[in-house]
Amino acid sequence: MEEYKLSVASSPHASSPVGTKHLMRDVLIALIPAMAMGVWVFGPRALTLTIVSVIFCEIFEWGYCKLLHKPNPIGDLSAAITGVLLVFVCPVSLPYWTIIIGDFFAIVIVKQLFGGLGTNFLNPALAGRAFLMLCYPVPMTTWAVPGKENWLAIFGAGEAGVDYVTGATPLSIDFMKSNIAPDASLADMFIGNIGGCVGEVSAIALLIGGIYLLAKGVIRIRIPAAYILTVAVLTLIFSRAPEGVNVFTWMLMEIFGGGLFLGAFFMATDYVTSPNTPKGEIIFGIGAGLLVVFIRYFGGYPEGVCYSILVMNILVWLIDKATMPKRFGVTAEMRKAEKEKAKAAKKAAKEGSEA
């Protein structure tokens, strides 16, 4: 007679061979096209800035966990993702010491102080960018113009080497923010031959990375589709296109000219800071899209992707609460009884501690 062993354990009872490191590795692979375009457009400093950011993110995570005697999470590559994404939403001319400060804020303040990977309620890279924008607005809005001069400025503006040639981005106050057609063509915006942050200039490179993540099952289509389509529909209906520019062309410029693709595929889909339900994901994407258009049209910033995602991150708990399906077979009376039981247990524990 065969004997069977029954293992009793708490949930979750289902396991998967796909772990955090595997998922993070796929995200890093998906970021390679955008990284390659960033180096091609802005020169080798885009790569050196990324390497510095990744190294210090890993150092800060290791140091914090070592100091507090917590398990070392370096091998999961999550800190490396934060380092890359933070550079992707910053100008290439940003001084190294500034990106290091952003790394510290993203890893220690936003991620580790809230319990580490899986417990942070904000996207660390976007929170780091928002902090740098608050503290260092001038270097964070000094954009490098694409060109061969960037390949000479290996050490960056203000240091040894040739200074970067600076200019305006398509969404800036000089162009689309003031309802003026940008000097870059639609094709330039799609390919990436424009000024802007390191990793957001090439829509085609980010789209390739996004398709890779969708094909590998790392992300789902709901948030990116809802996010991008909301921005597209609103900018098409309420177009601010100047005279002589087709509204459809202007709508595509709104989509390709900023960090919408980077935010939609790589930021808003973060497992920790996005909703857990299909309906919640759609609400999250639509809400972020509404905020992007509102900030671009009425806010002081020409771009709104960063703040739209951060605001929706804060609302994730509410979205999950509103969209979480009800447990099967649980009546209103049973839920009421559970609440009363929990309240009684809490009261008994309080009385016991006072005694």
Side-chain angles (χ1 to χ4, degrees):
M1 182 177 176
E2 287 188 53
E3 292 184 2
Y4 296 94
K5 291 183 178 180
L6 178 63
S7 297
V8 180
S10 61
S11 61
H13 303 292
S15 61
S16 171
V18 180
T20 301
K21 185 175 181 179
H22 185 275
L23 294 172
M24 295 299 172
R25 185 170 62 243
D26 279 336
V27 175
L28 285 173
I29 293 172
L31 289 169
I32 289 176
M35 183 75 257
M37 282 302 301
V39 174
W40 174 259
V41 172
F42 298 117
R45 193 174 191 274
L47 181 60
T48 59
L49 192 67
T50 304
I51 292 172
V52 169
S53 181
V54 169
I55 289 173
F56 275 90
C57 279
E58 295 285 3
I59 289 174
F60 290 139
E61 184 152 273
W62 173 85
Y64 181 91
C65 294
K66 187 75 172 177
L67 184 65
L68 272 69
H69 305 288
K70 296 176 62 177
N72 192 333
I74 287 181
D76 64 14
L77 300 178
S78 62
I81 295 290
T82 300
V84 174
L85 289 178
L86 181 56
V87 171
F88 271 29
V89 293
C90 292
V92 70
S93 57
L94 196 69
Y96 291 111
W97 61 268
T98 310
I99 200 69
I100 292 171
I101 292 175
D103 292 333
F104 177 85
F105 186 85
I107 294 296
V108 177
I109 307 299
V110 179
K111 182 181 177 183
Q112 290 298 334
L113 284 183
F114 286 93
L117 182 65
T119 57
N120 52 286
F121 70 98
L122 293 176
N123 183 289
L126 288 180
R129 181 190 189 275
F131 177 75
L132 292 179
M133 279 291 295
L134 178 66
C135 299
Y136 310 103
V138 174
M140 283 294 292
T141 53
T142 302
W143 313 108
V145 174
K148 63 182 180 180
E149 294 85 359
N150 296 333
W151 279 87
L152 300 176
I154 296 176
F155 299 103
E159 300 176 4
V162 181
D163 287 347
Y164 277 90
V165 178
T166 58
T169 64
L171 290 173
S172 69
I173 192 69
D174 295 329
F175 297 116
M176 296 178 70
K177 184 69 175 177
S178 300
N179 302 350
I180 299 172
D183 56 0
S185 66
L186 189 61
D188 286 335
M189 294 185 188
F190 187 64
I191 295 171
N193 190 31
I194 56 174
C197 296
V198 172
E200 69 178 25
V201 291
S202 177
I204 180 66
L206 293 167
L207 185 60
I208 291 171
I211 292 173
Y212 174 83
L213 292 180
L214 290 169
K216 296 286 287 186
V218 177
I219 64 173
R220 293 179 290 269
I221 190 62
R222 297 185 192 98
I223 291 178
Y227 198 179
I228 295 171
L229 284 175
T230 299
V231 175
V233 170
L234 289 176
T235 52
L236 186 62
I237 296 174
F238 305 103
S239 179
R240 52 179 179 174
E243 187 177 350
V245 179
N246 182 274
V247 291
F248 185 77
T249 301
W250 188 268
M251 178 267 288
L252 292 176
M253 288 181 175
E254 294 273 10
I255 293 175
F256 299 153
L260 184 61
F261 275 34
L262 178 62
F265 288 110
F266 295 97
M267 304 289 201
T269 54
D270 177 27
Y271 289 170
V272 183
T273 58
S274 62
N276 295 310
T277 63
K279 188 184 295 183
E281 290 177 330
I282 295 173
I283 294 172
F284 184 95
I286 293 174
L290 287 169
L291 287 170
V292 165
V293 177
F294 183 84
I295 294 171
R296 288 183 180 182
Y297 279 38
F298 306 108
Y301 291 105
E303 175 64 287
V305 171
C306 172
Y307 298 102
S308 71
I309 296 176
L310 289 176
V311 170
M312 295 308 296
N313 286 163
I314 297 172
L315 298 177
V316 163
W317 69 274
L318 184 60
I319 296 173
D320 277 339
K321 184 177 181 180
T323 60
M324 197 67 71
K326 292 181 173 62
R327 290 179 291 166
F328 180 75
V330 179
T331 63
E333 291 77 11
M334 293 171 66
R335 284 194 292 269
K336 184 178 180 181
E338 286 180 355
K339 289 181 180 179
E340 291 177 352
K341 186 178 179 180
K343 190 183 295 184
K346 186 177 180 181
K347 183 178 179 181
K350 184 179 180 180
E351 291 175 351
S353 62
E354 291 176 351

